[in-house]
Every structure is written in structure tokens, then in C-alpha cells.
Amino acid sequence: MGGGGREHALAWKLAQSPGLDTLYAAPGNPGIARHAELVALDLLDHAGVIAFARDRNIGLVVIGPEAPLVDGLADSLRAADIAVFGPAAAAARLEGSKGFTKDLCARVGIPTAGYARVGSRAEAEAALDGFGLPVVIKADGLAAGKGVTIATSRAEAEAALDTLFADGGADVVIEEFMTGEEVSLFVLTDGETLVPFGSAQDHKRVGEGDTGPNTGGMGAYSPAPVLTPELEARALAEIVAPTVRAMADAGTPFSGVLFAGLMLTATGPKLIEYNARFGDPECQVLMARFEGDLLATLLAVAERRLADLPVPVFMPETALTVVVAAQGYPGIPRTGGPVDGIDAAEATGATVFQAGTRMHGGQVVASGGRVLAVTATGADVATAQAAAYRGVDAVDFADGFCRRDIGWRALG
């Protein structure tokens, strides 16, 4: 379920599983069509998805994006006795409500930034007085990775609040600013067993050197060298495992992939926020490195058999992906421009995952902000970076742009 770069990476890897019979993708994209039969299903039409799954005797549904998870699609499928990879709506609140997650952290003692939850402009104004600068202002709900402002002045903080409260009431979280390296840790869990599933570092800002507005992600690499085995063990023990236990104890067990955004502070790892699905573009680099059978792994999670599987194995090499976006992103992207050179890019050894694309008159054209994720592997970050940019340079997309410094933190 889904049609972005994350879903292309999942489809690409699922298509390599020996247990796969037929793969369908809804709605998919031209890249996914290389691996799957595309079907026109609305991800929020639960009855339509269930009817299709029953008609085709589907053995597993994999939900890619967050919106249908928060909407309860996984609940509807489970109620229809259809195996599904992805958390129930009550568990997806870990992503769907930042305030819910912060309250859970406070209740269980999970290290995270100090915060205040506010529901009005006046409350927000009063709460701001308790924070220094910079200060982080977040919309409580889903925001596609872009609902965050790091305000370096009181005026900037108030401007962010003006935007969030423009239509009256809103749910907003104000947080203390944490310093350190930001890193992504992925964990598979069936509600009881939890298994680490790789690390990555994303590049959220649109401009080189991490400048400009936040985006859904302009590139990523895996593994993240800054997340040492010792720090990963601490994050699992102090952050992820207590979260999984707390969700199970509350009667809302989390089943799927839990994506922990971490800040590696001077006092240890702290939780920034959770996502209830694979990241995009982190999924692309994780799938490039994963050496196991993805179908068998996701099915074991869905059937609560994760404890029976061997530990996931990832190649030791680095994978790096560069997002090619349409001019105007992360604002209003220029769509409709032809995208050529994908085969030429893959001839360099890269893998091109399509994200915001569609077919128009037999031609692949841009249909969204992030259009391609050009992915390559190498012995180290520098080698993977060079290979990915060779692929990028083979793409012919006049309306496109990319950052030329993906991986700079690790290289530095």
C-alpha cells in the first residue's frame, strides 16, 4: 500500500523473496510497476482494500505510509483475518500524536527533551516563557516531516505559533532544543519480541550544509557510524524496549517497524520522536543493505513469530541515497516535467527508486516534490557517495535538483 520511494524500495526487495507469488501495489508508481501489478485502490477505503485482498487471496498486506496506519487500516484488515504489516491505529499514535508520545515518555521515564503541550495561542505564549532559545515548535499531528520549526528568536517562535494557530485552536508541542548528532534507529517488533533493523542518518534541510527549510528528506546513508554498538544498546534498553513494553501494558501492542529518531546528546541518546513506519528515504538505504528475505521477515512480524526468525543480516557496506526533487520543493513543486535517464543511471550500478512519478503518454514525468531516490552501495561512505552521484549525473530531469553533499557529516 503506497506509491512513493519507500514503497518502491519495499516492492523491489519483496520481489526478491523466494516465497513471493504475485505482488500488487496500490496505487504504486511507474518504478514499482517493474516489480508489481498496479491496482487503483484508495488507501483510506478500508472496505475496498479488504474486498480486493479477499478476492485475490492476499497472504500479506504491507502498509507503507503513515496516514492509513493512523486511520486504522491495519485494524480493519486484522478484523477481516488478513495478515498485515503495520501497527493498529492506537499504536500508530506514537507517530500520529507527538503529545501522546511525549506523555508516554514522561510516564515511563524515557529520556527525551523537556516539553509543554498547548491547545491555544495564549497557552503557547505563556509556555514559551519556560524555554530558552533555540526552541522547537511542532504541530501535534502528522506533518509529512515538515511540521517542525526550530526558532532561534522569540519573534521566530511566535511567527511559528501564529501559523499553527491561524485557524483558531490547535494541538502544539513546544520542546527544549537538544544538541548533538541526530540519527535514526529502526526496530521490528510484533508487540513482544523486538529486533534492531538498521540505522541511518537523514538530511532534512533542503540546502547543502543542512540549510533552508525542512523537507521530507533529501538523502540518507546507512549504517550511521555515529550510532556505535554501545549507544545503540543504550537506545534499545532505555528508549525502545520501555516503549514497546508500555504499549503492550496499555493493551495497544505495537506491531510493525518502530522508527526512533534519536539525538545523541552529551548525556546519552534521547528520543526526538517516533515514526510508525519505515522512513523515506531511509527505507531505500536499509533495503539496499538488507540481505535477508523481506517477505518472510514481515510475515513473521504480522503473525507474531518474530522470535522464531534468525537475527536480520545487513551487508557491512554503506548504502547512500540522493533525492532528486522538483524545483520549488518543499514549497510548490514544478510537476509534469519529463524524467529520462533512469536506465542510464542504473547502468552505472545505482538503483533508482521512483517516488513522485507517473506515466503520461508513455513518458515518466514528475508528479510530486521528491521525484527519485538514486541509491548506491560502497565499501565506505565516500565510495557509496561517489557511486550514487554517478547515478544522479546520468539522470536527465531538467526540472530537478539535489543536494551535492549527502553524507557530509560522516565524511567530516
Side-chain angles (χ1 to χ4, degrees), residues 15-407:
Q16 300 170 34
S17 293
L20 182 73
D21 176 11
T22 306
L23 182 62
Y24 299 95
N29 66 40
I32 296 174
R34 296 183 177 189
H35 317 290
E37 180 181 330
L38 304 190
V39 292
L41 286 174
D42 180 350
L43 276 65
L44 302 183
D45 176 11
H46 297 198
V49 173
I50 289 168
F52 179 87
R54 283 178 168 161
D55 182 62
R56 304 302 172 94
N57 195 29
I58 296 299
L60 177 67
V61 177
V62 179
I63 302 174
E66 59 273 24
L69 293 169
V70 172
D71 188 57
L73 179 58
D75 303 75
S76 298
L77 287 162
R78 287 191 181 98
D81 290 324
I82 297 165
V84 56
F85 178 82
R93 289 181 69 195
L94 285 171
E95 175 168 7
S97 171
K98 295 176 178 65
F100 170 83
T101 299
K102 299 295 285 191
D103 288 350
L104 182 148
C105 289
R107 187 170 68 250
V108 181
I110 292 169
T112 187
Y115 73 104
R117 293 183 73 176
V118 295
S120 71
R121 186 67 177 77
E123 279 184 80
E125 189 77 28
L128 268 183
D129 294 335
F131 291 86
L133 292 171
V135 64
V136 182
I137 314 287
K138 296 180 176 181
D140 180 72
L142 297 180
K146 292 177 279 189
V148 179
T149 298
I150 300 172
T152 56
S153 67
R154 179 76 179 215
E156 194 178 352
E158 292 185 352
L161 293 173
D162 288 341
T163 300
L164 292 172
F165 288 105
D167 298 323
D171 292 317
V172 173
V173 175
I174 302 173
E175 292 183 358
E176 72 169 313
F177 178 77
M178 295 188 290
T179 58
E181 284 272 9
E182 191 172 336
V183 67
S184 302
L185 174 63
F186 296 85
V187 175
L188 297 180
T189 176
D190 56 11
E192 297 177 1
T193 302
L194 61 90
V195 176
F197 201 73
S199 66
Q201 277 195 296
D202 187 13
H203 299 63
K204 281 291 186 192
R205 301 282 188 165
V206 72
E208 293 177 14
D210 290 338
T211 57
N214 269 337
T215 71
M218 295 299 294
Y221 55 91
S222 174
V226 71
L227 188 67
T228 62
E230 294 76 17
L231 287 173
E232 180 176 310
R234 280 192 65 182
L236 291 168
E238 298 171 15
I239 297 173
V240 181
T243 301
V244 172
R245 282 196 302 271
M247 296 301 288
D249 290 346
T252 55
F254 188 101
S255 174
V257 58
L258 192 55
F259 164 7
L262 306 173
M263 186 69 74
L264 304 182
T265 74
T267 57
K270 291 187 177 183
L271 180 70
I272 301 170
E273 61 188 35
Y274 280 123
N275 291 316
R277 36 69 190 180
F278 284 109
D280 188 346
E282 294 96 338
C283 186
Q284 289 86 314
V285 289
L286 290 177
M287 292 304 115
R289 292 185 58 235
F290 180 52
E291 295 187 313
D293 183 329
L294 185 64
L295 175 57
T297 301
L298 302 190
L299 187 59
V301 172
E303 295 180 344
R304 300 188 74 170
R305 296 183 291 103
L306 186 56
D308 299 335
L309 286 192
V311 174
V313 175
F314 290 83
M315 67 168 65
E317 288 81 6
T318 294
L320 185 143
T321 191
V322 178
V323 169
V324 180
Q327 293 292 341
Y329 181 76
I332 300 173
R334 189 182 303 165
T335 59
V339 181
D340 291 307
I342 291 174
D343 289 342
E346 295 203 321
T348 70
T351 301
V352 180
F353 296 116
Q354 297 186 39
T357 62
R358 63 181 176 88
M359 294 299 293
H360 180 69
Q363 167 74 54
V364 177
V365 300
S367 65
R370 293 186 295 168
V371 179
L372 305 174
V374 183
T375 309
T377 58
D380 50 33
V381 174
T383 309
Q385 181 193 61
Y389 280 110
R390 281 195 296 272
V392 168
D393 292 339
V395 171
D396 181 8
F397 176 36
D399 288 344
F401 75 96
C402 69
R403 282 180 54 168
R404 304 294 305 191
D405 65 344
I406 302 302

